[in-house]
Amino acid sequence: GDSVTQMEGPVTLSEEACLTINCTYTATGYPSLFWYVQYPGEGLQLLLKATKADDKGSNKGFEATYRKETTSFHLEKGSVQVSDSAVYFCALSSGGGADGLTFGKGTHLIIQP
Amino acid sequence: DAGVTQSPTHLIKTRGQQVTLRCSPKSGHDTVSWYQQALGQGPQFIFQYYEEEERQRGNFPDRFSGHQFPNYSSELNVNALLLGDSALYLCASRLDIQETQYFGPGTRLLVL
């Protein structure tokens, strides 16, 4: 079945550091890929998405590129802020969107001033 | 434009009881999915409703059931509660022709 593996946390960085959170997936067909963010005490918010190979999703300075050859969708940001502290989830959707999302376990990101 | 809303926000039950959680989708959305998020884990897909029918189901027992109403709102019912059912239950909605799901704040269920 489908699965998502992302790096374990917590990941602790200083403000203005570069961020990479690794995400790899296993899926049948051609899934769509997503990054969701969960701030403390809140629900999940869509951060970015990509629906086909080589697509790059971007939002709020975050980027991720759909790499079919390596089955990866790593999340990157050039300069993180304290407000980026949250839990980040990589997820996929197979079957043209009719399927439920399959999530990774989440990566807790802590940014120190 | 109201987003996805869920009620109640918190709930405490005892083993063996039954619980009903409610979800109102984002305006204009017709498809509702439910997820269970255990502490420290990613959400797990329970099922999805479209046109008042269960369209897809994840790996959850029959104790978990649902319903979708003509106004697209939805309920999640869990019977014979177990301690392991303690989790954050998330509702997500979308328009059937689009892929992106929008999540509500969740209902935190504690089973004692």
Side-chain angles (χ1 to χ4, degrees):
Chain A
D2 297 346
S3 67
V4 174
T5 302
Q6 58 182 109
M7 61 191 293
E8 299 285 327
V11 173
T12 304
L13 295 173
S14 297
E15 203 166 21
E16 299 184 4
C18 294
L19 168 71
T20 299
I21 300 178
N22 291 333
C23 170
T24 58
Y25 67 89
T26 302
T28 54
Y30 303 95
S32 295
L33 302 174
F34 305 83
W35 278 100
Y36 280 85
V37 59
Q38 189 171 37
Y39 297 102
E42 298 185 15
L44 293 167
Q45 298 177 25
L46 178 66
L47 182 58
L48 53 83
K49 70 175 184 179
T51 57
K52 61 182 186 297
D54 300 325
D55 267 2
K56 177 185 284 188
S58 62
N59 186 26
K60 299 181 181 178
F62 290 90
E63 293 183 340
T65 301
Y66 189 141
R67 301 285 188 200
K68 191 171 187 298
E69 64 275 16
T70 55
T71 61
S72 66
F73 193 54
H74 304 322
L75 182 67
E76 299 176 327
K77 187 173 185 182
S79 176
V80 293
Q81 307 298 315
V82 172
S83 58
D84 294 327
S85 298
V87 181
Y88 292 80
F89 293 94
C90 185
L92 69 81
S93 172
S94 297
D99 293 5
L101 292 167
T102 299
F103 284 87
K105 290 187 176 182
T107 302
H108 186 193
L109 176 64
I110 301 169
I111 307 301
Q112 296 178 333
Chain B
D1 177 23
V4 180
T5 59
Q6 294 185 242
S7 63
T9 56
H10 296 81
L11 206 49
I12 300 175
K13 293 286 188 179
T14 56
R15 278 181 300 174
Q17 285 190 312
Q18 178 263 345
V19 69
T20 297
L21 310 181
R22 295 177 176 81
C23 171
S24 290
K26 185 176 169 66
S27 178
H29 286 186
D30 56 9
T31 303
V32 174
S33 298
W34 287 92
Y35 294 81
Q36 180 195 66
Q37 186 179 14
L39 199 61
Q41 301 294 314
Q44 301 261 321
F45 174 68
I46 303 174
F47 42 53
Q48 180 181 101
Y49 275 83
Y50 173 69
E51 292 190 338
E52 302 180 50
E53 299 215 348
E54 184 183 293
R55 178 159 65 177
Q56 190 197 13
R57 189 179 185 92
N59 189 26
F60 278 79
D62 292 345
R63 297 187 297 109
F64 289 77
S65 63
H67 189 77
Q68 185 179 34
F69 299 93
N71 67 352
Y72 307 117
S73 67
S74 177
E75 288 182 349
L76 164 65
N77 300 292
V78 187
N79 294 322
L81 284 166
L82 304 173
L83 296 180
D85 295 331
S86 295
L88 180 67
Y89 288 84
L90 296 167
C91 172
S93 74
R94 64 181 178 89
L95 190 58
D96 185 56
I97 59 173
Q98 298 175 351
E99 200 168 23
T100 301
Q101 299 189 31
Y102 294 83
F103 284 80
T107 293
R108 189 162 295 281
L109 172 65
L110 177 61
V111 182
L112 301 176

